């Protein structure tokens, strides 16, 4: 796949929808195209985060460790960015990501990611929007969990 | 030397005998010198003017030696004692005899001078050697507080440059003034004997010269001192600018530094200029005075000759004698100047090298002391302060047994770091004591501390040598002297060292203290090194260094075969479908998408800078191939395509954007040029220079990495053809300098890794590099060549101050250097601060396992590892607030 095809793919991702083609091309050019075989691990929970991945094609499963072994909590498909939390928060990876089918990604290193945020304020806004949505989701789930616990008479 | 010695004391103390020998020779030389002066008179007055040869066959006694005898001893023969009757010679033979005597005397005098000069030189060098050694010995004994204050460049400049004139002066310190004064006196006496008044005149002028000139030179001396001072400060500042270069640039203060340096240089200029002015004034005055005397001789002496009060021979002799008079006088004055100058320098340097609280001079190796065992450390009422008087540790009571691992925790600055620092003995105690049995920690001889304990801190200094030397540096403890069984060369060196007050150490001997290994077998030691490297998590790094290095096939013939074997094994394994995408092998018949266009054409490795891929455009052979294979147009077209993309991607970025360095084919300062080129390309009027610039761009292009889709099948074929022609038509001169890739042969110019891979790790395959590395390791293990790679990795040069290593690697190496000493007491003080938690935990666990049953004091940067130790000390505000054993903690937790 040439860089032009990658740019076409990038444009379909909501996060990058509003960004110039030349900037997307720069992003594609400065990032590493990585393919993962099915079953390969992108990163593990607790690792130090040094890069985010843009999924160009394929699906990854998100799993977290629990006393009963790893539990898959989500699946993420193409046109999504994963692993950016570790870059933004300077914390270890919060989950393990495994390719469940052959995976094509664009690996964005930490330095490039921050450089991108500096150069592209629109993208920063998009990320904030995304984070707010996730926080909102988490709050809702927390409230639901509380309600469940209360209903079970545990609190 | 507690009190400061004067320079003359120092010189006298250390070179008395030599000085006296030289002095004797110098004095003994004087009569001969006198003879060379009087011979010309005898020659002119005797055979030349014919005095005493009035008769046609008259003779004179040659070398008649008569001593006047006092009248009360006089015999019948008269009041003369004829020692040697002499040889009767006629006028011409007499002339020749005298002339040859003159020649012989001149030669003999020259020989004496040569003798004296060599002896003086040797004497000076010995003293200089002694002084330099003493100064550096003092640096090694400086109290830590002083070390923190001094500037290394200034110290270096003092030891290297400022004491240098002292060496030259030493030889002249005593002998030279005596010699010169003797010479001057002889010449003066001679003149007086010829004619009293001429003697008086020249004597007076000499005295005036000797008074006026030194007086005028006083200010010059002062200026010289000032200049010295400024120059030393300049050296210090230059050192600061070099050391602080990175910070100066980051902070953007380079102009301030320029201003500061410029004003310093201006000051030095002013001083030097004034110095010159005064110096040359004095010089010309001196010259004038020197020329004044001959004037007197010509005028007054001439008058005497005309009035027959003096004969011509005498006048000529006086003039010749006088020629030798201002010389010694001038040199005497110079000497005096030099003496003052050197004394000032000596005093200045000595002041700098005599701080308070210096450690006692190094003890000679005492075999007994080293075998002394440590006992448990008892800290009593220890209060430690830093240079500013801030209390770091407050009234600490602690005993540290030698068989337990102890963690020190607490917030940073709580005193835990100071506890570690105590053991470097770099911290001054305000009160209290630290004892280990009979020893006081602070006065423990180096020989004991060096063997019995080790310290690893967050910053470790590494010497600019290879990893192995740095790792084993802490074991260079076995003092080796030049053995009495050594050869003549050795013995001479030893004698000379003794004469200069240097120790008889032999730095070429093996100083390693093998007792830490318990063996001297090099293989066992390498295994131990590997074990320690693995312990601190550095083995992989060293392995990688080894893979990146080249192997000399001359010294490692067996090894190169093994490497080729490893290559074949790797290639066999890469045939498995799940592994094959990891590496793209070099294939003579195929284009390598993971290598650059230049690499594809070159298809070989070379250690010659001219034959590196990025330098190909400058190689005439390459230019010819490009033209012959019709590649030029293709390269230009690819160049246009790359330039277009680069302009699109980078034209909006600021010039100093980090992406330029890392990603752009075109540096930011050339973007505008390429913009012009693109404009001309649209109107299809590219100049020759444009085409040249464009055709260079694609050489760095790697299809798999840059993904611009430039290498079409047609271009691929052309590049392959170019590769073949490049190799086939290579000029003979280049043939020996490049090794083409060959499936079956070891490539001496390529790194071990390239040799094993004989290909490129694929871009775009996840973790390809890691997986290939793991594969290589496995194969090398299997073939038993891992040691070889480790050995090559240990030869990796660490760079000045270890700058070629990352901070993490430096910290690991620092820890390894301490652990490998196998000390009774190991102190680790924040030595792993830059590593991530996972690595930190693993290293702590491995080191503690290794040191089970021996004392390890670990100052932790993160408290959560404390449970792995036998005992935990918690510090707050310089005080020990809790001291609990690990088992107690478990109990407390339950």
């Amino acid at each position: 796949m040439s860089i032009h095809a990658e740019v076409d793919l990038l444009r379909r991702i909501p996060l990058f929808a509003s960004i110039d083609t030349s900037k997307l091309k720069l992003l594609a050019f400065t990032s590493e195209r990585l393919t993962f075989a099915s079953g390969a691990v992108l990163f593990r929970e607790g690792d130090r985060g040094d890069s985010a991945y843009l999924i160009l094609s394929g699906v990854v499963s998100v799993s977290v460790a629990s006393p009963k072994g790893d539990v898959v909590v989500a699946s993420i498909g193409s046109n999504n960015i994963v692993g950016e939390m570790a870059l933004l928060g300077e914390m270890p990876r919060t989950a393990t990501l495994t390719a469940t089918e052959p995976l094509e990604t664009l690996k964005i290193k930490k330095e490039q990611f921050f450089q991108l945020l500096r150069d592209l304020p629109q993208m920063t806004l998009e990320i904030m929007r995304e984070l707010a949505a996730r926080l909102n989701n988490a709050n809702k789930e927390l409230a639901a969990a509380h309600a469940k616990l209360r209903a079970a008479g545990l609190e | 030397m507690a009190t400061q010695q004067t320079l003359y004391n120092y010189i006298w103390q250390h070179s008395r005998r030599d000085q006296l020998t030289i002095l004797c020779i110098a004095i003994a030389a004087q009569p001969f010198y006198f003879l060379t002066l009087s011979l010309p008179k005898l020659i002119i007055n005797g055979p030349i003017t014919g005095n005493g040869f009035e008769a046609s066959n008259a003779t004179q006694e040659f070398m008649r030696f008569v001593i006047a005898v006092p009248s009360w001893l006089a015999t019948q023969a008269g009041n003369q004692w004829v020692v040697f009757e002499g040889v009767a010679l006629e006028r011409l033979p007499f002339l020749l005899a005298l002339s040859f005597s003159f020649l012989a005397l001149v030669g003999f005098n020259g020989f004496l001078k040569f003798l004296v000069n060599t002896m003086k030189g040797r004497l000076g060098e010995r003293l200089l050697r002694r002084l330099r050694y003493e100064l550096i010995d003092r640096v090694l004994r400086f109290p830590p507080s002083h070390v923190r204050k001094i500037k290394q460049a200034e110290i270096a400049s003092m030891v290297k440059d400022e004491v240098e004139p002292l060496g030259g002066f030493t030889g002249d310190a005593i002998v030279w003034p005596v010699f010169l004064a003797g010479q001057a006196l002889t010449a003066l006496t001679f003149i007086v004997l010829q004619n009293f008044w001429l003697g008086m005149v020249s004597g007076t002028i000499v005295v005036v010269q000797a008074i006026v000139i030194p007086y005028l030179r006083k200010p010059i001396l002062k200026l010289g001192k000032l200049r010295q001072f400024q120059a030393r400060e300049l050296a210090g500042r230059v050192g600061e600018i070099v050391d602080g270069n990175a910070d100066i640039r980051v902070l953007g203060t380079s102009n301030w530094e320029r201003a500061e340096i410029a004003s310093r240089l201006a000051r030095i200029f002013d001083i030097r200029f004034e110095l010159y002015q005064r110096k040359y004034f004095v010089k010309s005055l001196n010259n004038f005075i020197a020329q004044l005397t001959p004037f007197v001789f010509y005028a007054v002496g001439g008058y005497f000759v005309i009035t027959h009060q003096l004969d011509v021979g005498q006048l000529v002799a006086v003039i010749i004698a006088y020629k030798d008079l201002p010389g010694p006088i001038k040199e005497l004055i110079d000497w005096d100047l030099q003496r003052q100058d050197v004394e000032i320098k000596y005093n200045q340097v000595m002041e700098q090298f005599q701080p308070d609280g210096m450690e006692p001079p190094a003890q000679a190796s005492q075999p007994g002391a080293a075998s002394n065992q440590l006992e448990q450390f008892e800290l009593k009422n220890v209060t430690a302060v830093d240079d500013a008087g801030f209390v770091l540790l407050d009234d600490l009571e602690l005993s540290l047994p030698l068989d337990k691992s102890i963690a020190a925790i607490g917030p940073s600055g709580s005193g835990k770091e100071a506890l570690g620092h105590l053991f470097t003995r770099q911290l001054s105690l305000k009160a209290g004591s630290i004892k280990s049995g009979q020893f006081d920690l602070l006065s423990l001889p180096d020989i004991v501390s060096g063997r019995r304990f080790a310290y690893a801190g967050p910053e470790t200094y590494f010497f600019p040598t290879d990893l192995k030397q740095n790792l084993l540096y802490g074991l260079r403890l076995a003092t080796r002297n030049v053995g009495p069984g050594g050869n003549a060369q050795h013995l001479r060196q030893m004698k000379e060292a003794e004469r200069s007050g240097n120790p008889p150490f032999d730095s070429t001997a093996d100083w390693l203290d093998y007792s830490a290994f318990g063996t001297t077998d090099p293989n066992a030691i390498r295994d131990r090194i590997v074990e320690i490297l693995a312990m601190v998590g550095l083995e992989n790094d060293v392995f990688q260094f080894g893979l990146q290095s080249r192997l000399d096939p001359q010294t490692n013939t067996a090894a190169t075969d093994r490497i080729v074997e490893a290559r074949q094994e790797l290639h066999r394994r890469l045939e498995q479908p799940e592994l094959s995408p990891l590496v793209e092998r070099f294939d003579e018949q195929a284009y390598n998408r993971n290598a650059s266009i230049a690499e594809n054409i070159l298809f070989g490795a070379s250690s010659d800078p001219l034959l590196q891929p990025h330098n190909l455009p400058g190689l005439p052979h390459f230019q010819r191939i490009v033209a012959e294979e019709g590649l030029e147009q293709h390269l230009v077209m690819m160049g246009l395509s790359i330039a277009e993309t680069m302009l699109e991607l980078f034209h909006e970025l600021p010039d100093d954007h980090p992406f330029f360095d890392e990603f752009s084919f075109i540096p930011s300062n050339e973007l505008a040029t390429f913009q012009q080129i693109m404009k001309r390309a649209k109107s299809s009027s590219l100049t020759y220079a444009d085409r040249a610039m464009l055709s260079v761009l694609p050489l760095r292009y790697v299809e798999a990495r840059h993904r611009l889709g430039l290498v079409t099948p047609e271009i691929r074929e052309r590049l392959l053809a170019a590769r073949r022609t490049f190799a086939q038509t290579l000029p003979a001169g280049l043939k020996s300098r490049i090794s083409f890739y060959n499936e079956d042969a070891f490539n001496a110019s390529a790194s071990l890794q390239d040799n094993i891979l004989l290909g490129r790790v694929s871009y775009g395959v996840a973790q390809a590099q890691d997986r290939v590395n793991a594969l290589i390791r496995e194969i090398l293990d299997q073939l038993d060549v891992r040691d070889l790679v480790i050995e090559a990795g240990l030869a990796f040069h660490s760079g000045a101050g270890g700058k070629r290593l990352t901070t993490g690697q430096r910290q690991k190496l620092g820890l390894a250097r301490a652990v490998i000493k196998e000390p009774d007491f190991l102190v680790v003080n924040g030595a792993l601060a830059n590593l991530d938690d996972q690595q930190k935990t693993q290293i702590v666990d491995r080191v503690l396992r290794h040191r089970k049953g021996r004392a390890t004091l670990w100052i932790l940067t993160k408290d959560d590892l404390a449970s792995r130790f036998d005992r935990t000390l918690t510090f707050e505000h310089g005080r020990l607030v809790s001291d609990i054993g690990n088992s107690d903690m478990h109990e407390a937790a339950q």
Side-chain angles (χ1 to χ4, degrees):
Chain A
M1 197 191 304
S2 80
I3 197 160
H4 309 288
E6 286 166 21
V7 172
D8 285 341
L9 268 176
L10 283 176
R11 203 174 293 135
R12 282 184 226 146
I13 299 174
L15 199 55
F16 301 120
S18 59
I19 293 169
D20 292 352
T21 310
S22 71
K23 293 289 179 200
L24 287 184
K25 215 169 180 179
L26 182 63
L27 173 61
F29 189 72
T30 55
S31 311
E32 196 183 344
R33 255 282 286 290
L34 272 190
T35 56
F36 289 85
S38 177
V41 174
L42 279 70
F43 51 77
R44 283 179 204 285
E45 192 178 342
D47 284 357
R48 266 230 279 222
D50 63 348
S51 44
Y53 296 86
L54 248 159
I55 302 175
L56 300 175
S57 71
V59 176
V60 290
S61 71
V62 182
S63 56
V64 289
S66 79
K68 289 173 208 149
D70 286 2
V71 180
V72 176
V73 290
S75 279
I76 300 179
S78 60
N79 296 358
N80 280 300
I81 185 164
V82 293
E84 80 284 13
M85 294 292 276
L87 298 191
L88 289 169
E90 301 272 340
M91 52 200 173
R93 301 286 194 194
T94 50
T96 302
L97 260 69
T98 317
T100 48
E101 53 185 85
L103 194 68
E104 293 252 14
T105 65
L106 211 52
K107 179 179 177 179
I108 308 173
K109 286 208 188 109
K110 196 172 184 169
E111 307 86 66
Q112 277 127 262
F113 185 73
F114 281 116
Q115 196 59 54
L116 214 59
L117 294 187
R118 260 192 292 269
D119 295 346
L120 302 172
Q122 311 97 297
M123 200 178 126
T124 315
L125 274 178
E126 288 294 336
I127 297 236
M128 279 171 64
R129 221 166 271 152
E130 171 76 20
L131 287 178
R134 285 193 202 173
L135 191 63
N136 194 24
N137 255 346
N139 281 343
K140 271 187 200 155
E141 277 171 27
L142 196 63
H146 270 306
K148 258 191 207 160
L149 283 175
R150 209 169 291 141
L154 286 170
E155 198 181 336
Chain B
M1 287 191 297
T3 54
Q4 190 170 327
Q5 267 183 316
T6 65
L7 177 62
Y8 264 84
N9 275 340
Y10 187 77
I11 292 174
W12 187 245
Q13 186 186 342
H14 296 297
S15 63
R16 200 168 27 223
R17 247 184 55 197
D18 287 340
Q19 298 277 11
L20 288 177
T21 314
I22 300 173
L23 195 58
C24 289
I25 298 179
I27 291 171
Q30 293 308 310
F32 296 101
Y33 177 66
F34 187 87
L35 274 179
T36 44
L37 286 181
S38 62
L39 263 177
K41 185 189 78 177
L42 288 177
I43 293 172
I44 294 173
N45 285 348
I48 292 181
T49 50
N51 287 338
F53 293 98
E54 284 78 10
S56 64
N57 52 358
T59 58
Q60 288 274 327
E61 309 302 320
F62 177 64
M63 283 183 76
R64 184 183 165 88
F65 190 32
V66 177
I67 293 177
V69 179
S71 53
W72 54 272
L73 266 175
T75 57
Q76 311 91 308
N79 54 354
Q80 278 187 337
W81 176 38
V82 180
V83 181
F84 182 62
E85 282 289 351
V87 185
L89 288 176
E90 288 186 18
R91 186 170 172 179
L92 197 61
F94 195 73
L95 171 73
L96 287 179
L98 284 179
S99 301
F100 277 104
S101 314
F102 178 73
L103 187 65
L105 274 174
V106 168
F108 185 64
N109 272 335
F111 171 72
L112 284 182
K113 232 179 192 156
F114 162 78
L115 205 67
V116 167
N117 280 337
T118 353
M119 286 177 82
K120 278 195 321 198
R122 193 178 59 180
L123 172 84
E125 287 308 315
R126 276 188 191 147
L127 209 86
L128 184 61
R129 179 178 173 185
R130 176 189 293 272
L131 187 62
R132 280 190 172 144
Y133 174 79
E134 256 176 44
L135 291 181
I136 295 166
D137 178 65
R138 279 160 185 245
V139 172
L140 289 171
R141 299 192 280 123
F142 274 173
S145 57
H146 189 67
V147 174
R148 283 191 284 271
K149 272 185 284 187
I150 56 178
K151 289 184 189 164
Q152 59 108 344
E154 289 186 10
I155 291 287
S157 135
M158 280 192 265
V159 175
K160 184 176 145 282
D161 300 325
E162 292 185 27
V163 300
E164 177 95 48
L166 259 66
F169 176 76
T170 314
D172 293 338
I174 294 164
V175 182
W176 198 227
V178 172
F179 190 76
L180 289 172
Q183 225 173 20
L185 265 176
T186 311
L188 201 59
T189 314
F190 181 80
I191 296 173
V192 171
L193 285 181
Q194 306 308 314
N195 184 292
F196 180 74
W197 289 112
L198 283 181
M200 284 301 112
V201 169
S202 28
T204 315
I205 293 176
V206 163
V207 171
V208 169
Q209 209 177 351
I211 292 170
V212 173
I213 303 294
Y215 176 77
L216 287 175
R217 274 186 172 169
K218 271 246 158 71
I220 297 181
L221 212 65
K222 255 192 192 153
L223 284 170
K225 202 163 113 186
L226 208 60
R227 193 198 68 182
Q228 182 86 35
F229 193 64
Q230 292 284 344
R232 189 193 302 154
E233 276 194 351
L234 180 72
R237 286 289 296 140
V238 171
E240 283 172 27
I241 288 179
V242 174
D243 284 347
N245 198 294
D247 291 85
I248 291 171
R249 293 218 192 153
V250 168
L251 296 171
T253 52
S254 64
N255 272 347
W256 154 249
E257 295 297 335
R258 287 187 184 104
E260 213 272 346
I261 287 292
S263 73
R264 253 173 219 286
L265 292 175
R267 235 170 299 153
I268 293 177
F269 172 82
D270 288 344
I271 293 171
R272 294 193 81 129
F273 187 57
E274 198 185 336
L275 206 65
Y276 280 128
Q277 280 175 314
R278 286 178 179 270
K279 208 156 136 183
Y280 287 115
F281 171 71
V282 172
K283 199 167 184 175
S284 48
L285 183 70
N286 210 3
N287 283 343
F288 177 73
I289 294 176
Q291 292 303 317
L292 197 65
T293 332
F295 158 78
V296 174
F297 287 164
Y298 293 134
V300 181
Y303 170 78
F304 283 145
V305 172
I306 291 168
T307 56
H308 297 290
Q309 296 174 39
L310 196 72
D311 58 54
V312 182
Q314 273 176 318
L315 183 60
V316 171
V318 165
I319 289 175
I320 290 176
Y322 180 72
K323 230 177 60 205
D324 286 339
L325 188 57
I329 296 295
K330 193 168 158 280
E331 284 191 52
L332 254 180
I333 296 171
D334 283 342
W335 172 84
D336 190 55
L337 185 79
Q338 201 193 357
R339 178 187 62 83
Q340 296 181 41
D341 188 37
V342 161
E343 269 185 352
I344 289 168
K345 273 187 184 141
Y346 175 81
N347 290 339
Q348 275 185 348
V349 168
M350 279 312 179
E351 269 166 33
Q352 294 292 317
F353 281 80
Q354 262 165 339
D356 289 332
M358 208 149 60
E359 282 174 39
Q363 305 89 342
S365 62
Q366 306 156 320
S371 59
N372 278 325
Q373 297 292 330
L374 286 184
E375 285 172 41
Q376 88 171 15
F377 280 107
E378 299 286 352
L379 285 74
K380 287 220 162 37
N381 310 95
V382 169
T383 300
V385 293
D386 65 10
D387 290 345
F390 181 78
V391 176
L392 299 173
L393 280 174
D394 194 1
D395 202 17
L396 181 64
E397 288 274 348
L398 191 62
S399 70
L400 301 169
L402 288 186
D403 57 349
K404 292 273 188 306
S405 62
I406 300 161
I409 58 173
S412 89
S414 59
K416 59 174 184 178
E417 298 93 346
L419 176 67
H421 269 138
L422 281 181
F423 290 92
T424 62
R425 305 188 294 164
Q426 301 270 310
L427 210 60
S428 38
L429 285 194
K430 202 175 165 207
S433 68
I434 308 169
K435 287 225 149 73
S436 166
Q438 46 157 329
F439 292 119
D440 191 327
L441 175 78
L442 294 179
S443 57
L444 208 57
D446 277 355
I447 193 106
V448 179
S449 66
R451 263 164 230 241
R452 297 295 164 199
F453 61 87
Y455 175 89
E459 278 169 46
T460 316
Y461 182 80
F462 293 106
F463 293 90
T465 170
D466 63 40
L467 281 181
K468 189 175 182 177
Q469 298 293 334
N470 267 316
L471 180 63
L472 297 180
Y473 182 77
L475 286 171
R476 285 194 182 162
L477 293 169
T479 303
R480 303 260 186 249
N481 290 345
V482 176
N487 54 28
Q489 169 85 357
H490 264 135
L491 287 178
R492 199 188 61 76
Q493 279 174 1
M494 198 169 79
K495 265 212 180 107
E496 201 50 59
E498 195 187 346
R499 286 203 184 103
S500 312
N502 283 208
F505 297 154
D506 181 5
S507 67
T508 54
D510 181 6
W511 279 59
L512 280 195
D513 176 14
Y514 287 98
S515 61
F517 298 117
T519 170
T520 55
D521 172 28
N523 287 325
I525 289 172
R526 193 190 40 227
D527 289 348
R528 178 66 67 81
I529 289 176
V530 172
E531 184 193 331
I532 301 276
L533 288 176
M535 197 183 300
V536 299
L538 204 56
E539 193 204 3
N540 237 327
D541 302 65
V542 173
F543 194 75
Q544 283 307 319
F545 290 147
L547 284 178
Q548 298 310 323
S549 63
R550 290 178 185 146
L551 202 65
D552 182 3
Q554 243 76 49
T555 53
N556 293 294
T557 19
T560 56
D561 292 347
R562 284 300 182 71
I563 297 297
V564 175
E565 247 177 84
R567 172 196 300 168
Q568 285 155 356
E569 174 62 23
L570 179 75
H571 286 181
R572 224 184 342 269
R573 294 211 196 177
L574 285 175
E575 276 160 24
Q576 297 170 42
E578 73 270 22
L579 295 181
S580 64
L582 294 180
V583 175
E584 187 177 6
R585 286 160 58 176
F586 285 136
D587 179 349
E588 237 175 293
Q589 308 302 325
Y591 185 81
N592 193 313
R593 291 181 70 253
N594 286 288
S596 72
I597 289 183
E599 287 170 320
N600 264 294
I601 297 175
L602 193 62
F603 203 67
S606 170
S607 46
D608 188 332
L610 281 177
L611 287 165
Q612 298 307 312
H614 55 271
N615 283 339
L616 278 187
L619 193 73
H621 178 60
F622 177 78
Q623 292 159 0
R624 205 166 52 80
I625 299 294
V626 167
E628 276 175 16
E629 293 296 320
L631 263 180
E632 208 246 348
Q633 183 56 23
H634 289 285
L635 287 178
V636 169
M637 293 315 286
M638 283 194 275
L640 276 174
S641 179
I642 290 172
E644 193 180 1
T645 311
M646 291 303 124
L647 287 174
E648 182 190 359
L649 293 180
F650 295 104
H651 79 280
E652 276 180 13
L653 298 185
D655 284 355
D656 54 353
H657 199 285
F659 281 4
F660 276 109
D661 278 348
E662 207 178 340
F663 299 106
S664 180
F665 279 67
I666 302 173
S668 56
N669 58 1
E670 282 182 19
L671 274 186
T673 316
F674 275 95
Q675 229 146 15
Q676 297 300 319
I677 294 178
M678 294 309 290
K679 266 190 203 144
R680 285 197 284 274
K682 296 225 167 68
S683 58
S684 70
S685 56
L686 283 173
T687 64
Y688 179 77
D690 292 346
R691 296 176 71 87
M693 279 185 85
L694 285 170
S695 66
V696 169
L697 286 183
L699 293 178
R700 277 171 52 201
Y701 175 79
V702 178
E703 181 67 45
R705 178 176 171 208
H706 298 113
R707 316 188 296 278
L708 296 179
L710 295 183
V711 183
T712 60
E714 191 211 340
I715 292 175
R716 202 178 301 160
E717 285 317 309
R718 281 191 187 270
L719 290 173
L720 286 175
R723 176 194 293 178
R724 280 190 292 274
T725 331
F726 184 89
Q728 280 160 9
T729 62
L730 195 66
L734 293 177
K735 253 182 193 140
S736 59
R737 290 193 270 162
I738 183 166
S739 322
F740 293 109
Y741 295 127
N742 179 347
E743 187 74 26
D744 306 310
F746 183 79
N747 191 320
S749 303
S751 68
L752 280 178
Q753 168 146 322
D754 281 348
N755 259 299
I756 297 170
L757 269 184
L758 208 73
R760 287 274 180 272
V761 176
S762 301
Y763 285 99
V765 180
Q767 286 125 18
Q769 189 69 55
D770 292 345
R771 287 163 72 192
V772 169
N773 285 349
L775 256 177
I776 291 179
R777 266 194 92 119
E778 198 185 312
I779 291 168
L780 291 178
D781 273 351
Q782 185 185 324
L783 290 173
D784 211 17
V785 265
R786 224 179 52 137
D787 289 347
L788 186 107
V789 180
I790 291 273
E791 201 72 60
L794 283 171
F796 179 79
H797 199 282
S798 335
K803 279 192 183 138
R804 291 183 71 197
L805 305 174
T806 64
T807 315
Q809 284 168 341
R810 278 203 294 276
Q811 292 191 336
K812 289 172 179 176
L813 186 62
L815 179 60
R817 181 158 91 182
V819 172
I820 206 165
K821 287 176 76 136
E822 304 292 353
D824 296 342
F825 195 76
L826 172 68
V827 181
V828 186
N829 195 354
L832 301 177
N834 280 54
L835 305 181
D836 61 48
D837 291 346
Q838 196 187 354
Q839 286 195 73
K840 239 183 250 180
T841 314
Q842 287 169 351
I843 295 172
V844 167
D845 281 345
R846 285 191 296 246
V847 171
L848 286 183
R849 203 175 314 132
H850 177 71
R851 292 195 51 81
K852 208 168 171 56
R854 285 180 294 176
T856 306
L857 171 63
W858 203 304
I859 287 85
L860 291 170
T861 41
K862 281 195 73 169
D863 297 355
D864 50 8
L865 294 175
S867 61
R868 291 157 199 276
F869 291 78
D870 296 333
R871 192 171 146 199
T872 305
L873 309 172
T874 312
F875 284 86
E876 251 172 52
H877 303 299
R879 286 176 172 276
L880 178 65
V881 291
S882 93
D883 176 1
I884 38 177
N886 201 8
S887 49
D888 306 341
M889 274 176 82
H890 284 299
E891 279 161 28
Q894 280 162 9

